[in-house]
Amino acid sequence: MGKIYEYQVLRVNLSDGEISRETIAGENVKKFLGGRGLASKMLYDEIDPKVDPLSPENKLIYASGLLTGTAASTGGRYMVITKGPLTGTIASSNSGGFFGAEMRFSGNDIIVFEGKAEKPVYLSLKGDKAELKDASHLWGKGVYDTTDMLIEEFGDEKARVSCIGPGGEKLVKFASIMNEKDRAAGRTGVGAVMGSKNLKAIVVKADEKQVEYFKDEMMEVVKKQTKTLKEDGVTGEGLPALGTKVLDNIINSHGAYPRNNFQYGTFADVEEVSGEALVEKGYLQGNKGCYGCPIRCGRHTKLPNGQEGEGPEYETGWAFGADCGVNDLNAIVQANFLCNDLGLDTISAGATIAAAMELYEKGYIDKDELENGPELKFGSSESVIYYTRQMAYREGFGDQMAEGSYRLAEAKGNAELSMSVKKQELPAYDPRGIQGQGLNYATSNRGGCHVRGYMVSPEVLGVPEKLDPLELKGKPEWVKIFQDLTAVIDSLGMCLFTSFALGLEDYTEIANAGTEFDFTPEEMLENGERIWNLERQFNLEAGITPDQDKLPKRFDEPLPDGTFRGSAAKYREILPEYYEIRGWQEDGWISDEKLSEMGLK
Amino acid sequence: MGKIYEYQVLRVNLSDGEISRETIAGENVKKFLGGRGLASKMLYDEIDPKVDPLSPENKLIYASGLLTGTAASTGGRYMVITKGPLTGTIASSNSGGFFGAEMRFSGNDIIVFEGKAEKPVYLSLKGDKAELKDASHLWGKGVYDTTDMLIEEFGDEKARVSCIGPGGEKLVKFASIMNEKDRAAGRTGVGAVMGSKNLKAIVVKADEKQVEYFKDEMMEVVKKQTKTLKEDGVTGEGLPALGTKVLDNIINSHGAYPRNNFQYGTFADVEEVSGEALVEKGYLQGNKGCYGCPIRCGRHTKLPNGQEGEGPEYETGWAFGADCGVNDLNAIVQANFLCNDLGLDTISAGATIAAAMELYEKGYIDKDELENGPELKFGSSESVIYYTRQMAYREGFGDQMAEGSYRLAEAKGNAELSMSVKKQELPAYDPRGIQGQGLNYATSNRGGCHVRGYMVSPEVLGVPEKLDPLELKGKPEWVKIFQDLTAVIDSLGMCLFTSFALGLEDYTEIANAGTEFDFTPEEMLENGERIWNLERQFNLEAGITPDQDKLPKRFDEPLPDGTFRGSAAKYREILPEYYEIRGWQEDGWISDEKLSEMGLK
């Protein structure tokens, strides 16, 4: 093993305005890689897991992955790590685009924000200069305007901006952080933490064109992996052609495409809103790629009214579409653009509206509470757009919805109508038709989530091999490996979509080529396991106990339609085996021995 | 001449709750026929034309036409006459459906509302019983709910309701009065007057199935006229097939289909929003007809989200569509339903949004003023729906828009960007490509309006004969005849659409058959002229002076596109001749001699 990799940290105390620099070198980089892993370790070491997520005592960490800004294919991602206000768990959301690479080029591998600014500020990173600047004129502005204004102010059109919109300012529990306008660190409410600190944005432009980390040494591996990605059916064909919305028809035919707040598993109007429809109806203008990405799954879209942006992604289209019973693609695209501009997570925004619709239709919400807003009825495209805006600004009934579906449903006396895990809204796959995904949902370290282990890949898409989606045997092992491997990919700063074509050996190879590490594949996967255990331990200490490893009651009832009609979720039957494979106690807690073994104690 | 027809009047003093009955018999019925004519005479006699339209001193008169409730084809209309808050002129708006006939059957030919109720009330007419009832529980409710609740309360599902929505309650200057949910006495803000009186609704059900006025005597004429209507190309084919939206393609090809607040005269996306598109895209469910109507131009439509209603009509589709640059039929249908439920005139609502869009895009409205609402940009379907709701409830910027485009544009320092005449928004025909229509707009007694003389008929559609739309010669005479004849048709309680197939002789024949009058066609047209002069005199006394007989300055500039590119409005060249033909003074005032000659003094 060669030299230990170094991380340059910029520490910004917002309370007193002090900015300092430090270097992380040594075992922690080797054990936690970077990004999600390394920053989670920092957060765990630096804050009390019981802290109020929206208090000055919480910290907000921007972190580049180990390979962010290198030549690695898709190696452009940054992560935001903090304690999340939606779930109370450790939160780490990552985002693509170009901001992450630019941050790395600027020499700020990790930025830690502490405390709370008295007035709105933003962080300006120009070359090696770091300054906090007044952001009063930006407060209240949407993401699109904020981005344009900051680039103008900064005086370099190549500067990159990561910022919050009104959603984050108003402490919406599922506010996102956006970069390059349409790219989101979307989930778990990281934008609200940023808002609670009066931090509006970071704008960055490095002096040098690019810090060429190990470029020569790694190019041969990069070329090979790029070729693999280009030749793969998913990353080379499906995603470039239709983006993530290639999934609409696939998941709907599979019978796991949730409709009307997961009351059903199929959507008859899917053809009106699918990825294919986005092309046929003229919304799609072209593809967009992130830094270093050969896949280019991003959708550059345009509304008939001339408004342009990116998306919707599969999850977004579903959240505002089928989950709300809406078959109006125009409204879905509008709601997506709105979320990007207002800084809201699209999954939680749409799913919260869906839950509100069920609560309203079942009489748990009075019409009077809606003030003068439209009725929350499934299928109402007007409601979807109206309440998205209301939530972001916490206006009218939107103020209650801004707390997310769980707190809303709980306040209305029926928490079980929130389709969430650990208070975070589930994405677009019904676990009753994808049993491994159900176990993954229940055990995800950031609540209802599909990108902490995407079991849809083997159980539906057949990658890397086809598994029976209803079979339980073997699934705990699969879930563990997917979770750990995902922690690796995130921590490297690469895109999860590469995993359709690349495997553990590939990630190990590119990591070794891009650094002076010399990991074996086994060591690499153990790094992922270490990160997973660290996150779990943070959550346990935060009070998120193992009894929260569960799905909403709805999934104990059988699916009423589709291929898997009659099937209920069976994750409880395999949860003990999952704990065992994880080496955890029977009750789901992590023993001191295991923590020691993982190097966490 | 036979017996003078009698009118039964119900007089309701809302201030003290007193209800009384009286009979009008004698010369006034002969001279003013009924409906619009007779009620205008009553208003002129009973109020000071200078009164504040929204004060208790104004009166609100519901009036059935001379033939309303008889067997006459389309003879089901009622009119609401008052001093209008949008224009300051005499206002009379009429509506179809079945309410008018039911009101007539109940023996209340005319209802006069005076004063102002202390608390919200509605008038219940059950058989011969008239009662004011508490409407506190209905205040704030939309038209759809109000209608359903009143019918339920009334205890007879055949009862008919005419009511206001939140728009009228909030005194929106262009609030409508709605009956049977989707039928509107739409223009000039009659709903605001009703709201200012704390009068929410009238619900009526007659005892007898039908008062059969002269049925036997008139059936032969009715049969003949019904046959004529059925065989006519417009009333027998075009209107039944596509409703008023048959006009989209016709007026757009003509080059007089205003786009973006009348900045252009053609709309490239017309096929996305036309009457044909309404069918092809699956919105149309079937036709609906009013009382006694063989045409059945009403559109029963359904949104993909399941919401059902009527419309949009041609003018509505244009106002929320091309005038706002919007090519999204779904949004247009939604905005139409919203207006019906909230009780807003669709033309003024859409055209006010269009004016606000131009004001915004040209910098007369600041983004901050929109509070957190979407930007008012041409083409934004979200804005169209959002601000329709905001206007009705006077929320946010909608409060300023609720004053109508003229007052809004004036407050923003550029009144000329309101495309209105006498402060009422113009409908969907650019006068630069239809010169007679321009003169008609300028001289209409209720401001910008197409149903006070529809010169589009001869100048575009060629009915009763094709006139050159750019020619000025002869147009003043045509305009006078169309205005006078329209006053007759309205006052008879028949639908203006019959005039595509019927002429002065037909109206005279059916009026004589349905009553014991014995008018000659010349006398009948003179009745129309008398009504026109009465309305004009009311306006003059109200302070609406002849210098208001004008169009916005925009029409002095040539049309930039379409067939009539380069053509400007030339109504000024023929206005003197119009005054002369009218027998008015050169300065547009009416001499005492003319008033005497008309029997108005």
Coordinates of all heavy atoms in Angstrom, one line a residue, chain A residues 145 304-305 327-328 330 334 338 367 372-374 379-382 385-386 389 393 395, chain B residues 145 304-305 327-328 330 334 338 367 372-374 379-382 385-386 389 393 395:
Chain A
D145 N -32.8 32.0 -10.3 CA -32.4 33.4 -10.2 C -31.1 33.5 -9.3 O -30.2 34.2 -9.6 CB -33.5 34.2 -9.5 CG -34.5 34.6 -10.5 OD1 -34.3 34.4 -11.7 OD2 -35.6 35.1 -10.1
P304 N -44.2 23.4 -23.4 CA -44.8 24.1 -24.5 C -44.7 25.6 -24.3 O -44.7 26.4 -25.2 CB -46.3 23.6 -24.6 CG -46.2 22.3 -23.9 CD -45.2 22.3 -22.9
N305 N -44.7 26.0 -23.0 CA -44.7 27.5 -22.8 C -43.3 28.0 -22.9 O -43.1 29.2 -22.6 CB -45.3 27.8 -21.4 CG -44.5 27.3 -20.2 OD1 -43.3 27.0 -20.4 ND2 -45.1 27.1 -19.1
N327 N -52.3 12.0 -14.7 CA -51.8 11.5 -16.0 C -51.5 12.6 -17.0 O -51.5 12.4 -18.2 CB -52.9 10.6 -16.6 CG -54.2 11.3 -16.8 OD1 -54.3 12.5 -16.6 ND2 -55.2 10.6 -17.2
D328 N -51.2 13.8 -16.4 CA -51.0 15.0 -17.2 C -49.5 15.3 -17.2 O -49.0 15.8 -16.2 CB -51.8 16.1 -16.5 CG -51.6 17.4 -17.2 OD1 -50.7 17.6 -18.1 OD2 -52.4 18.4 -16.8
N330 N -47.7 17.4 -18.8 CA -47.4 18.8 -18.7 C -47.3 19.2 -17.3 O -46.4 19.9 -16.9 CB -48.5 19.6 -19.4 CG -48.1 20.9 -19.9 OD1 -47.3 21.6 -19.2 ND2 -48.6 21.4 -21.0
Q334 N -44.0 20.5 -15.2 CA -44.1 21.8 -14.4 C -43.7 21.7 -13.0 O -43.0 22.4 -12.4 CB -45.5 22.4 -14.5 CG -45.8 23.2 -15.8 CD -47.1 23.9 -15.8 OE1 -47.5 24.5 -14.8 NE2 -47.9 23.8 -16.9
L338 N -40.7 23.3 -10.9 CA -41.0 24.1 -9.7 C -40.1 23.6 -8.5 O -39.6 24.4 -7.8 CB -42.5 23.9 -9.3 CG -43.5 25.0 -9.7 CD1 -44.8 24.6 -9.2 CD2 -43.0 26.4 -9.2
K367 N -62.1 20.4 4.3 CA -61.9 21.3 3.1 C -61.5 22.7 3.6 O -60.7 23.4 3.0 CB -63.2 21.4 2.4 CG -63.1 22.1 1.0 CD -64.4 22.0 0.2 CE -64.2 22.7 -1.1 NZ -65.4 22.8 -1.9
N372 N -58.3 28.5 0.5 CA -58.9 28.6 -0.8 C -58.2 27.8 -1.8 O -58.4 28.0 -3.0 CB -59.0 30.1 -1.2 CG -59.8 30.9 -0.3 OD1 -60.9 30.4 0.2 ND2 -59.4 32.1 0.1
G373 N -57.5 26.8 -1.4 CA -56.8 25.9 -2.4 C -57.7 24.9 -3.0 O -58.8 24.6 -2.5
P374 N -57.2 24.3 -4.1 CA -58.0 23.3 -4.8 C -58.1 22.0 -3.9 O -57.3 21.8 -3.1 CB -57.3 23.0 -6.0 CG -55.9 23.5 -5.8 CD -56.0 24.6 -4.8
G379 N -55.7 12.6 -9.0 CA -55.9 13.0 -10.4 C -55.9 14.5 -10.6 O -55.9 14.9 -11.8
S380 N -55.9 15.3 -9.6 CA -56.0 16.7 -9.8 C -54.6 17.3 -10.1 O -53.8 17.5 -9.2 CB -56.6 17.4 -8.5 OG -56.3 18.8 -8.6
S381 N -54.4 17.6 -11.4 CA -53.1 18.1 -11.7 C -52.9 19.5 -11.2 O -51.8 20.0 -10.9 CB -52.9 18.1 -13.2 OG -54.0 18.6 -13.9
E382 N -54.0 20.2 -11.0 CA -53.9 21.6 -10.5 C -53.4 21.5 -9.0 O -52.5 22.3 -8.6 CB -55.3 22.3 -10.4 CG -55.2 23.7 -10.1 CD -56.5 24.4 -9.6 OE1 -57.5 23.8 -9.7 OE2 -56.4 25.5 -9.1
I385 N -49.5 21.1 -8.7 CA -48.7 22.3 -8.9 C -49.0 23.3 -7.8 O -48.0 23.9 -7.2 CB -49.1 22.9 -10.3 CG1 -48.6 21.9 -11.4 CG2 -48.4 24.2 -10.4 CD1 -49.0 22.3 -12.7
Y386 N -50.2 23.4 -7.4 CA -50.6 24.4 -6.4 C -49.9 24.1 -5.1 O -49.3 25.0 -4.5 CB -52.1 24.4 -6.2 CG -52.6 25.5 -5.3 CD1 -52.9 26.8 -5.7 CD2 -52.8 25.2 -3.9 CE1 -53.4 27.7 -4.9 CE2 -53.3 26.2 -3.1 CZ -53.6 27.4 -3.5 OH -54.1 28.4 -2.7
R389 N -46.0 24.6 -4.7 CA -45.6 26.0 -4.4 C -46.0 26.3 -3.0 O -45.2 26.9 -2.3 CB -46.4 26.9 -5.4 CG -46.0 28.4 -5.3 CD -46.8 29.1 -6.4 NE -46.2 28.9 -7.7 CZ -45.1 29.5 -8.2 NH1 -44.5 30.4 -7.4 NH2 -44.6 29.2 -9.3
Y393 N -43.3 27.6 0.1 CA -43.4 28.8 0.8 C -44.1 28.7 2.2 O -44.3 29.7 2.9 CB -44.1 29.9 -0.1 CG -43.3 30.3 -1.2 CD1 -43.6 29.9 -2.5 CD2 -42.2 31.2 -1.1 CE1 -42.8 30.3 -3.6 CE2 -41.4 31.6 -2.2 CZ -41.8 31.2 -3.4 OH -41.0 31.6 -4.5
E395 N -47.1 28.3 2.7 CA -48.3 29.1 2.7 C -49.6 28.2 2.8 O -49.6 27.1 2.3 CB -48.4 29.9 1.4 CG -47.4 31.0 1.3 CD -47.5 31.8 0.0 OE1 -48.0 31.3 -1.0 OE2 -47.0 32.9 -0.1
Chain B
D145 N -70.5 23.8 -5.3 CA -71.0 23.3 -3.9 C -72.3 24.1 -3.6 O -73.2 23.5 -3.0 CB -70.0 23.6 -2.9 CG -68.9 22.5 -2.9 OD1 -69.1 21.5 -3.5 OD2 -67.8 22.7 -2.2
P304 N -58.9 14.9 -17.9 CA -58.3 13.6 -17.7 C -58.4 13.2 -16.2 O -58.4 12.1 -15.8 CB -56.8 13.8 -18.1 CG -56.8 14.9 -19.1 CD -58.0 15.8 -18.7
N305 N -58.4 14.2 -15.3 CA -58.5 14.0 -13.9 C -59.9 13.6 -13.4 O -60.1 13.4 -12.2 CB -57.9 15.1 -13.0 CG -58.7 16.4 -13.1 OD1 -59.9 16.3 -13.4 ND2 -58.1 17.5 -12.8
N327 N -50.7 27.3 -25.0 CA -51.1 26.3 -26.0 C -51.5 25.0 -25.3 O -51.5 23.9 -26.0 CB -50.1 26.1 -27.1 CG -48.8 25.6 -26.5 OD1 -48.7 25.3 -25.3 ND2 -47.7 25.5 -27.3
D328 N -51.8 25.1 -24.1 CA -52.0 23.9 -23.3 C -53.5 23.7 -23.0 O -54.1 24.4 -22.1 CB -51.2 24.1 -22.0 CG -51.4 22.9 -21.0 OD1 -52.3 22.1 -21.2 OD2 -50.7 22.9 -19.9
N330 N -55.3 21.5 -21.7 CA -55.7 21.0 -20.3 C -55.8 22.2 -19.4 O -56.7 22.3 -18.6 CB -54.6 20.0 -19.9 CG -55.0 19.1 -18.8 OD1 -55.9 19.5 -18.0 ND2 -54.5 17.9 -18.8
Q334 N -59.1 23.6 -17.4 CA -59.1 23.8 -16.0 C -59.4 25.2 -15.6 O -60.2 25.4 -14.7 CB -57.7 23.5 -15.4 CG -57.4 22.0 -15.2 CD -56.1 21.8 -14.5 OE1 -55.8 22.5 -13.6 NE2 -55.3 20.8 -15.0
L338 N -62.5 26.5 -13.3 CA -62.2 27.3 -12.1 C -63.1 28.6 -12.2 O -63.7 29.0 -11.1 CB -60.8 27.7 -12.1 CG -59.8 27.0 -11.3 CD1 -58.4 27.6 -11.4 CD2 -60.2 27.0 -9.8
K367 N -41.3 41.7 -9.9 CA -41.4 40.3 -9.5 C -41.9 40.2 -8.0 O -42.6 39.4 -7.6 CB -40.1 39.6 -9.7 CG -40.2 38.1 -9.6 CD -38.9 37.3 -9.9 CE -39.1 35.8 -9.7 NZ -37.9 35.1 -9.9
N372 N -45.2 35.2 -3.9 CA -44.5 34.0 -4.2 C -45.2 33.3 -5.4 O -44.9 32.1 -5.7 CB -44.5 33.0 -3.0 CG -43.7 33.6 -1.9 OD1 -42.6 34.2 -2.2 ND2 -44.1 33.5 -0.7
G373 N -45.9 34.1 -6.2 CA -46.6 33.5 -7.3 C -45.7 33.3 -8.5 O -44.6 33.9 -8.6
P374 N -46.1 32.5 -9.5 CA -45.3 32.3 -10.7 C -45.1 33.5 -11.5 O -46.0 34.4 -11.4 CB -46.0 31.2 -11.4 CG -47.4 31.2 -10.9 CD -47.4 31.7 -9.5
G379 N -47.4 32.4 -22.2 CA -47.1 31.0 -22.4 C -47.2 30.2 -21.1 O -47.2 28.9 -21.1
S380 N -47.2 30.8 -20.0 CA -47.1 30.1 -18.7 C -48.5 29.6 -18.3 O -49.4 30.3 -17.8 CB -46.6 31.0 -17.6 OG -46.8 30.4 -16.3
S381 N -48.8 28.3 -18.6 CA -50.1 27.7 -18.2 C -50.3 27.7 -16.7 O -51.4 27.8 -16.2 CB -50.2 26.3 -18.8 OG -49.1 25.5 -18.5
E382 N -49.1 27.6 -16.0 CA -49.3 27.6 -14.5 C -49.8 29.0 -14.0 O -50.7 29.0 -13.2 CB -47.9 27.4 -13.8 CG -48.1 27.2 -12.3 CD -46.8 27.4 -11.5 OE1 -45.7 27.5 -12.1 OE2 -46.9 27.4 -10.3
I385 N -53.7 29.4 -14.4 CA -54.5 28.8 -13.4 C -54.3 29.4 -12.0 O -55.2 29.7 -11.3 CB -54.2 27.3 -13.3 CG1 -54.6 26.6 -14.6 CG2 -54.8 26.6 -12.1 CD1 -54.1 25.2 -14.8
Y386 N -53.0 29.7 -11.7 CA -52.7 30.2 -10.4 C -53.4 31.6 -10.2 O -54.1 31.8 -9.2 CB -51.2 30.4 -10.3 CG -50.7 30.9 -8.9 CD1 -50.4 30.0 -7.9 CD2 -50.5 32.2 -8.7 CE1 -49.9 30.4 -6.7 CE2 -50.1 32.7 -7.5 CZ -49.8 31.8 -6.5 OH -49.3 32.2 -5.3
R389 N -57.3 31.7 -9.7 CA -57.7 31.5 -8.3 C -57.4 32.7 -7.4 O -58.2 33.1 -6.6 CB -56.9 30.3 -7.8 CG -57.3 29.8 -6.4 CD -56.6 28.5 -6.1 NE -57.1 27.4 -6.8 CZ -58.2 26.7 -6.4 NH1 -58.9 27.0 -5.3 NH2 -58.7 25.7 -7.2
Y393 N -60.1 35.1 -5.2 CA -60.1 35.2 -3.7 C -59.4 36.5 -3.3 O -59.2 36.8 -2.1 CB -59.3 34.0 -3.1 CG -60.1 32.8 -3.1 CD1 -59.8 31.7 -4.0 CD2 -61.2 32.6 -2.3 CE1 -60.6 30.6 -4.0 CE2 -62.0 31.4 -2.3 CZ -61.6 30.4 -3.2 OH -62.4 29.2 -3.2
E395 N -56.3 37.2 -3.4 CA -55.1 36.9 -2.7 C -53.9 37.4 -3.4 O -53.8 37.3 -4.6 CB -55.0 35.4 -2.5 CG -56.0 34.8 -1.5 CD -56.0 33.3 -1.2 OE1 -55.4 32.6 -2.1 OE2 -56.5 32.9 -0.2

